Amino acid sequence: MKIEKALSERLRFPSFTLALAAGPLLLSVGCSTQQDSTISENVETLATIHPEIWPQQSSPLSRDPGIEARISALLGQMTLEEKVGQVIQADIASVTPEEVAEYNLGSVLNGGNSAPFNDNHTAPENWLDLADAFWTASTDRSDGGVGIPVIWGVDAVHGHNNIVGATLFPHNIGLGAANDADLIRRIGAATATEIRVTGNDWTFAPTVAVAQNDRWGRTYESYAEIPSIVSKYSAAMVEGLQGKVNSDVFLDQHHVISTVKHFVGDGSTVDGVDQGDSQVTEEELRDIHAAGYPSAIQAGVQVAMASYNSWHGQKMHGFKPMLSDVLVDRMGFDGFVVGDWNGHGQVAGCTPQSCAQAFNAGLDMFMAPDSWKALYSNVLEQVRTGIISESRLDQAVSRILRVKMRAGIFEAGLPSERPYAGDWSVLGSAEHRALAREAVRKSLVLIKNNNQLLPLLPSSKVVVAGSGADDIAQAAGGWTLTWQGSGNTNAHFPNGQSIYAGIAEYVEANGGQIEFTANGTFSGQPDVAIVVFGEQPYAEFQGDIANVDFADEHGLELLAAFRQAGIPTVSVFLSGRPLWVNPELNLSDAFVAAWLPGSEGGGVADMLFATADGQPRYDFSGRLSFSWPADPSQALLNIQDENYSPLFPVGYGLSIHDDSPVMTLNEQVESALATDFSKRYLYAGDAVPPWQLVAADGGGSTVINQPRMSSVNGALEVVATDHNAQEDTVIVTWAGAGSLSIQGETIDIARQSNGDMALELVYQVLKPASGNISLGMYCTGPGCAGNLDLTAQLNKLTGQGWQRSAIKLSCFEQMGADMNQITRPLVIESTSGLQLQIAEAHLVANQGQASCSL
């Protein structure tokens, strides 16, 4: 077929194949058509699924008659309340062990920012203690109940990444470049072992999205833009985590339950918007975006997670044709389907507290982190009134019990008494760190090596610079100790090594000289400069961007300074997606795409340096699994596109022996770009980089980079809080005089002010202030500010729900702000009493609705 032939012709790289487990590739002409608005003209027709055209297969697992008998017996003993409890999963920040016992909950999870004692950096021992407490509570039969053990799900997506001291492997995008399924299998097995140390038994991995638009903030969770790699890796990771299906080790106490996610189409949304709408054809949904599921099912995966996204307006959490007719009846999935964080609440007609539609569509377990108690009551009532049938409830409970029994949960005993539990030496063990270091080596892609600068002699005088050089957190990215990967320091990675530390260790051991510089200054002329720079950590939806231009110029400035000094430069670029970096490439003699390598910075040093006698220690084997953009607007750039025109195609990557110089690249941007920098300040409750959210009082200023923080003297408390999605707002409480502001580099928005644009806020007033409230913009220079008194207006809105209000920029200018040099585009000052919940702050075009008041 046309697209399959095009793929075959373009992928003429020996390490890449096109064997698709999902069956033949049946696509319309080019994926660029997924952005065509005309696709939406007939939603009813396009949102029709035809199960008969999807891959047909049987589960590799035969149902054990003994297990089936046990399930039937348990169902006969369970009360309706016990059955309803089994289909609900609560977050550990919102449920106690006592409540797990009272409501007979089937599962708990820890969200990205949930941890024992609300401390993301707590000791591993506290995780194990809490696992014991939940298990003990769930198995208590003193009330006459059946005492079904709870299972605990964790987002261990690149190692056991919630735990201080655990081994952190490269994120999926880097592993995709390695194109090594055996490596993935071994990483899965090592991760399972470390999960067992803290008493957990279930991970929400692997992610098998086939990301097609690099604006998506979860692109780094995708192995590749082509389905063949994702299909191969999906099976390998499931096998590593769970053990080989139908073998003696399958789901034994050395392995954990695996989840394949997110079903389906999360990587196909329009404009790469997280939780957005997919408008691809059914064939594209099947052949590209569902490619990881048939192979995972054949590997015996026990859980599938429903996706937040919709398909032509149909939310997957409530879409029976996919959750039941395709996944179960056609693909042979024989586990249970779990929801994503309150994802059921996005189904039409639903709320997080009530959604019979999702359950009836095939969702077996609600992920109801903070809505679980009301949801429990509503599900109970819906079964009693027949909105949910008892047979459907029994089906879901049976599926959950079957997985628990296959995994030996009933016989496993207290978590702290299971294999590996409490053996802290397993976390970040030498064996696992060596595996992670191997994964780093195999994931790096050599983009440029003019004059064969690499490998470097270790006896050289080396200067290392850049924000990511001595920052393990930046190298590890999102989903690392905290949800967004923020608020971490090197001290939080006791078993890790930064890239700089790895380089220094090798250079010093071989007689070289090493110097670290933050600002590009150095003592004595070095032989070479290594600049490590890239994206700051982010996770879902907060990582969505307007285009693929790498806007942070800190690395560029360092490269320019070294070039001016006549020093050869090596760039090590940290990113969760391919980005337009032509200016940085032009100033680099060698350029390495390092992705998000994790905690083993020594793996980068392995690839940059030769042996003492000048021989390569390793060759670069990583090859791009995502197309590299030639223009900042090329976020939608995939190998099957009809007019495929990347800077570097899928499969590109140099060997250390290649003498293939990269010529000077075009730095002119041909297309107009949307930019978040000057127009977007706060999104989903978090500052949009490079802006920072800052709380200040009489004691000084505090950058808000963790879920719960206070200003220096405690006048302000800022807490990340759920609204439409996980932690997509902040609640700010004033206990005294202080300010909340967005701060960053100076911007010129005079043109926007003259053009009648406005500052728009999405917020609600929870409590009124006892004194004045002002909203302002601050600028360079003493006293340079424009403040508006909004005391009466905001206090009047107390308890009135969510507001979307805009204030004309010219109002701030009239009050004294110099719009040519704004340093703080949003400043809210108040005294005690005020409590605001804020979701967004950005500039919008004024269409008559904005004035100088809210």
Side-chain angles (χ1 to χ4, degrees), residues 756-785:
D756 200 29
M757 292 191 73
L759 173 68
E760 183 178 72
L761 300 177
V762 179
Y763 66 99
Q764 64 173 328
V765 185
L766 302 178
K767 295 179 181 178
S770 61
N772 292 335
I773 309 170
S774 70
L775 178 68
M777 285 191 170
Y778 283 47
C779 37
T780 303
C784 185

Side-chain angles (χ1 to χ4, degrees), residues 78-85 376 380 383-384 390 393:
M78 294 171 73
T79 64
L80 179 60
E81 289 80 4
E82 287 175 317
K83 290 178 181 180
V84 170
Y376 172 91
L380 196 61
V383 176
R384 285 172 174 160
E390 288 192 43
L393 178 62

Side-chain angles (χ1 to χ4, degrees), residues 178-196:
N179 198 31
D180 184 338
D182 179 64
L183 174 69
I184 302 307
R185 190 176 296 105
R186 289 183 285 139
I187 288 173
T191 301
T193 303
E194 297 205 11
I195 291 172
R196 285 292 188 181

Side-chain angles (χ1 to χ4, degrees), residues 558-835:
L558 290 170
L559 290 168
F562 290 127
R563 171 65 63 89
Q564 187 174 10
I567 302 166
T569 54
V570 178
S571 285
V572 177
F573 186 54
L574 305 174
S575 73
R577 51 196 151 205
L579 293 168
W580 188 76
V581 287
N582 283 15
E584 288 85 355
L585 276 162
N586 285 337
L587 287 174
S588 306
D589 295 288
F591 190 99
V592 176
W595 313 111
L596 298 171
S599 60
E600 294 307 309
V604 176
D606 290 343
M607 304 305 295
L608 299 184
F609 287 89
T611 61
D613 60 359
Q615 297 302 308
R617 301 167 70 199
Y618 301 94
D619 195 6
F620 284 86
S621 59
R623 300 294 181 264
L624 294 180
S625 61
F626 281 85
S627 305
W628 201 279
D631 183 271
S633 65
Q634 283 185 306
L636 188 67
L637 177 67
N638 299 289
I639 195 168
Q640 68 268 20
D641 293 346
E642 185 174 23
N643 298 311
Y644 184 60
S645 56
L647 182 62
F648 303 111
V650 165
Y652 174 85
L654 299 175
S655 161
I656 204 76
H657 304 290
D658 288 336
D659 187 11
S660 304
V662 174
M663 298 294 101
T664 301
L665 301 169
N666 178 31
E667 297 184 16
Q668 299 301 312
V669 177
E670 301 297 333
S671 53
L673 294 176
T675 175
D676 291 338
F677 179 57
S678 64
K679 296 182 180 178
R680 207 166 174 227
Y681 311 129
L682 191 77
Y683 177 69
D686 199 13
V688 175
W691 298 107
Q692 293 182 320
L693 187 63
V694 177
D697 58 23
S701 299
T702 300
V703 176
I704 304 301
N705 55 21
Q706 296 188 48
R708 181 183 295 271
M709 295 186 73
S710 298
S711 56
V712 177
N713 289 342
L716 275 76
E717 182 184 48
V718 184
V719 180
T721 309
D722 294 357
H723 175 46
N724 292 319
Q726 184 179 0
E727 296 184 0
D728 61 344
T729 67
V730 288
I731 291 180
V732 188
T733 304
W734 274 260
S739 68
L740 183 80
S741 64
I742 292 289
Q743 298 186 18
E745 299 179 22
T746 303
I747 57 171
D748 181 352
I749 53 174
R751 182 176 60 83
Q752 288 89 336
S753 181
N754 294 336
D756 200 29
M757 292 191 73
L759 173 68
E760 183 178 72
L761 300 177
V762 179
Y763 66 99
Q764 64 173 328
V765 185
L766 302 178
K767 295 179 181 178
S770 61
N772 292 335
I773 309 170
S774 70
L775 178 68
M777 285 191 170
Y778 283 47
C779 37
T780 303
C784 185
N787 282 301
L788 302 172
D789 187 342
L790 300 179
T791 309
Q793 299 162 51
L794 285 173
N795 283 344
K796 187 177 180 180
L797 290 171
T798 302
Q800 299 301 305
W802 283 96
Q803 310 292 322
R804 183 179 290 272
S805 306
I807 293 182
K808 295 171 65 174
L809 293 182
S810 58
C811 301
F812 300 105
E813 188 170 15
Q814 292 167 14
M815 297 302 295
D818 183 349
M819 309 306 280
N820 292 287
Q821 42 187 352
I822 295 295
T823 56
R824 286 189 274 174
L826 172 66
V827 182
I828 303 172
E829 294 182 273
S830 187
T831 55
S832 62
L834 180 64
Q835 188 175 64

Side-chain angles (χ1 to χ4, degrees), residues 215-234:
R215 289 174 58 179
W216 188 34
R218 302 190 78 158
T219 297
Y220 66 80
E221 296 186 56
S222 178
Y223 293 118
E225 71 181 44
I226 55 175
S228 57
I229 291 178
V230 176
S231 175
K232 180 171 59 175
Y233 274 23
S234 178

Side-chain angles (χ1 to χ4, degrees), residues 344-410:
H344 57 276
Q346 297 184 11
V347 175
C350 290
T351 67
Q353 294 77 27
S354 179
C355 192
Q357 297 94 311
F359 194 74
N360 288 334
L363 194 74
D364 299 307
M365 180 182 284
F366 293 97
M367 185 184 290
D370 52 0
S371 59
W372 65 269
K373 192 173 290 187
L375 181 67
Y376 172 91
S377 298
N378 285 322
V379 172
L380 196 61
E381 181 64 20
Q382 287 157 356
V383 176
R384 285 172 174 160
T385 58
I387 297 173
I388 294 173
S389 69
E390 288 192 43
S391 62
R392 170 66 189 118
L393 178 62
D394 284 353
Q395 180 188 58
V397 175
S398 296
R399 290 171 174 175
I400 294 165
L401 294 178
R402 187 174 296 114
V403 170
K404 289 184 176 183
M405 290 178 184
R406 283 174 175 166
I409 300 298
F410 281 79

